Amino acid sequence: MGWCFNLNLSRIGNQWLQAYFKYSGMQSVIIEVDSGTFLHCWIPQEKPDQAKDKPAVMLIHGFAMNSMWHWSSQIRPLMAHFQLYVPDLIFWGKSTTNTAHRSEVYQAQMLMKLMQALGVSKFSVAGTSYGGFVAFWMAHHFPNAVDKVVIANSGVCMAPSDNANLLERANLGNVSDLLLPQTPAAVRTLTKLSIHNVPNMVPSFLLKDFIEVSEASSPPKCLFSYGDLQTYH
């Protein structure tokens, strides 16, 4: 009888990142912030009153499998200066909801409830891509709690024409097809448009593996698209 060997590198990557975050001084918690809404977050192992000299900072990820993949390179350098809170947004990673709410405003509201549950009354936020939209709305709705804001690579003032131009460059019909790729070719299109000097020699089997794991921890197409984002004018 032959042996069947299935090596899922993305799942191995998830396990390695979990170990890395714990080794770096973070711990994983899941908190019910609203009825039927659970948020997963990496928080400092030390309590806020044990690190009063370090200001609190929340790092909000973009369209990635989870927060670990997005912020792993920044954790160790930033932890020397800040208390870090690194949540999975709803529909990513281990954060879930059974409500009908789907906007980035709702994401911001739930993240605020998360920080209140953790006993953090004052903090700064840094968000990139989709996370930048959420960071913007946190600062807009909760100015007394949010101190400083960093928004990177987020078109918070974009117009519908920006989506049209992007889709023309990608040769696609829907923004969700670009942001939530289903084939290796679609992943290459997304990375070509979003990453500078992206490697061209990533094997298709690795990209298929990435898609499989991403589908298990990313929002369905019907939930999010940049065309639905509530931009500020």
Side-chain angles (χ1 to χ4, degrees):
M1 182 176 68
W3 290 91
C4 179
F5 182 69
N6 182 16
L7 180 64
N8 191 308
L9 295 180
S10 294
R11 287 196 172 90
I12 292 174
N14 265 334
Q15 294 170 356
W16 184 90
L17 287 171
Q18 289 174 10
Y20 176 74
F21 269 58
K22 292 178 181 178
Y23 174 78
S24 299
M26 305 288 286
Q27 60 180 318
S28 171
V29 298
I30 297 178
I31 297 176
E32 185 174 16
V33 295
D34 202 9
S35 179
T37 299
F38 297 82
L39 287 189
H40 171 257
C41 187
W42 288 96
I43 67 173
Q45 291 180 5
E46 57 184 0
K47 297 181 179 179
D49 58 355
Q50 296 175 328
K52 294 181 179 179
D53 57 326
K54 294 182 181 180
V57 175
M58 174 179 283
L59 303 178
I60 308 176
H61 66 82
F63 270 76
M65 285 195 295
N66 54 54
S67 57
M68 296 185 301
W69 286 84
H70 210 124
W71 295 110
S72 59
S73 298
Q74 289 77 29
I75 291 297
R76 295 295 292 275
L78 291 178
M79 282 194 65
H81 308 283
F82 303 101
Q83 299 176 61
L84 295 183
Y85 296 84
V86 191
D88 287 337
L89 290 170
I90 300 170
F91 307 114
W92 279 275
K94 299 177 182 178
S95 294
T96 62
T97 186
N98 60 13
T99 71
H101 300 293
R102 298 292 182 263
S103 72
E104 73 277 10
V105 174
Y106 182 71
Q107 298 270 17
Q109 293 169 341
M110 294 303 100
L111 289 183
M112 187 66 238
K113 287 190 174 185
L114 171 69
M115 295 302 272
Q116 290 172 340
L118 292 170
V120 183
S121 58
K122 195 74 173 181
F123 56 96
S124 297
V125 293
T128 180
S129 187
Y130 178 79
F133 288 86
V134 179
F136 171 86
W137 285 110
M138 289 194 75
H140 181 70
H141 286 292
F142 310 107
N144 293 329
V146 176
D147 184 16
K148 298 178 176 63
V149 184
V150 177
I151 297 176
N153 303 316
S154 304
V156 293
C157 294
M158 69 182 186
S161 59
D162 296 316
N163 278 344
N165 293 334
L166 179 63
L167 291 174
E168 183 178 356
R169 292 169 59 194
N171 194 28
L172 293 171
N174 298 299
V175 174
S176 59
D177 292 332
L178 177 62
L179 296 179
L180 302 172
Q182 303 296 303
T183 65
V187 174
R188 292 189 177 95
T189 297
L190 174 60
T191 55
K192 181 179 179 180
L193 291 172
S194 59
I195 301 176
H196 179 63
N197 287 336
V198 62
N200 293 320
M201 300 303 293
V202 179
S204 291
F205 78 90
L206 288 180
L207 297 179
K208 289 180 180 178
D209 174 62
F210 177 81
I211 292 168
E212 178 185 341
V213 176
S214 295
E215 286 180 343
S217 60
S218 294
K221 285 188 175 185
C222 62
L223 301 185
F224 288 112
S225 77
Y226 271 9
D228 297 328
L229 293 176
Q230 300 180 30
T231 53
Y232 185 78
H233 298 284

